[in-house]
Amino acid sequence: MPGLLLGDEFPNFEADTTVGRIKFHDFLGNSWGILFSHPRDFTPVCTTELACAARISNEFKKRGVKMIALSIDSVEDHRNWSKDVMAFNSDAESALPFPIIADDKRELSVQLGMLDPDERDKDGLPLTARCVFVVGPDKKLKLSILYPATTGRNFDELLRVIDSLQLTAQKNVATPVDWKPGDKVMVIPSLSEAEAAALFPNGVTTKEVPSGKKYLRYTQP
Ligand code: BEZ
């Protein structure tokens, strides 16, 4: 996949969206951001994903994360599709709580490496994959995930990942498998025992392993 690496500044692209023309960095302001792409409007898996994103949009808001979707159709299509999405949620009276970028020329999808070569439209042109970018308040890329068009994402996992990103942005820790807020976290390997003891007043516990190496260190953040 070409393009962006973790830590790169996210491009300050300009685009037409369902809420008008935006410059991405201005759209983000000082917030975190999540940009998620979809293969196409009026498609079944994408509709379930956008509906889920809309249902839990308050969870992103609570975490100070601005949401924005993208697919390779026009603003007009996006506006019409948004109505289907909210009706799918049995909430037809409400507006979709985040904008959708219109990338009908696929320029942004190419720039950000989001096209799925295995999924093509009726004219043989590639569709967008299910890409997720999480951008920090410093406008740098903190996470990218790329799913093929045929596999829908898990938006609860995206919230969990954001919780981890936001915690580890503040504290010098790492989160283990299936971590959830409130669970113990792990002390990063580069910290010495003395540094860890000084940094974590709640204490550090070390799990013994056959190698005798003391790298499985837990603390309560
Ligand atoms: C869908 O959203 O359902 C979909 C889109 C493109 C390819 C496969 C599935």
Side-chain angles (χ1 to χ4, degrees):
M1 173 178 153
L4 289 173
L5 298 176
L6 297 184
D8 284 354
E9 179 164 299
F10 206 86
N12 189 16
F13 62 82
E14 277 194 52
D16 291 320
T17 79
T18 46
V19 295
R21 193 150 181 89
I22 62 155
K23 269 191 107 172
F24 190 54
H25 289 190
D26 295 341
F27 169 77
L28 291 177
N30 295 321
S31 300
W32 288 72
I34 183 165
L35 189 162
F36 42 100
S37 63
H38 297 272
R40 201 95 228 207
D41 295 3
F42 306 106
T43 51
V45 176
C46 297
T47 301
T48 61
E49 286 191 319
L50 270 204
C52 175
R55 281 196 305 276
I56 62 172
S57 60
N58 274 341
E59 291 297 322
F60 287 91
K61 195 171 178 185
K62 262 195 236 165
R63 291 160 173 82
V65 181
K66 286 203 162 178
M67 307 169 78
I68 192 161
L70 176 151
S71 96
I72 50 175
D73 290 294
S74 64
V75 167
E76 193 189 352
D77 280 341
H78 288 347
R79 290 204 174 120
N80 288 326
W81 182 39
S82 300
K83 291 181 195 156
D84 287 1
V85 169
M86 295 312 283
F88 179 84
N89 274 347
S90 306
D91 192 11
E93 303 308 310
S94 303
L96 190 73
F98 48 82
I100 312 178
I101 297 167
D103 191 30
D104 33 351
K105 296 198 180 72
R106 290 175 168 78
E107 285 168 356
L108 199 49
S109 300
V110 170
Q111 184 188 354
L112 299 176
M114 296 194 292
L115 292 178
D116 180 347
D118 285 342
E119 291 294 338
R120 292 177 183 264
D121 66 12
K122 59 180 173 21
D123 302 317
L125 292 172
L127 301 176
T128 350
R130 299 184 194 281
C131 203
V132 181
F133 293 117
V134 177
V135 183
D138 58 1
K139 314 291 182 292
K140 297 210 168 131
L141 181 66
K142 305 298 179 190
L143 171 117
S144 69
I145 306 178
L146 187 56
Y147 279 39
T150 41
T151 302
R153 289 156 286 196
N154 180 328
F155 277 70
D156 286 333
E157 167 63 4
L158 298 182
L159 288 173
R160 193 193 73 86
V161 160
I162 286 167
D163 285 334
S164 170
L165 292 172
Q166 293 187 334
L167 175 70
T168 57
Q170 286 169 11
K171 302 199 172 176
N172 207 2
V173 296
T175 60
V177 62
D178 294 337
W179 172 87
K180 296 181 299 313
D183 290 352
K184 284 186 173 173
V185 298
M186 305 202 85
V187 177
I188 57 172
S190 58
L191 281 185
S192 70
E193 271 186 52
E195 285 169 330
L199 208 54
F200 304 116
N202 292 332
V204 174
T205 53
T206 305
K207 184 165 174 55
E208 299 297 329
V209 282
S211 67
K213 296 182 193 291
K214 298 188 181 305
Y215 59 92
L216 284 165
R217 299 179 296 175
Y218 293 86
T219 188
Q220 195 71 52

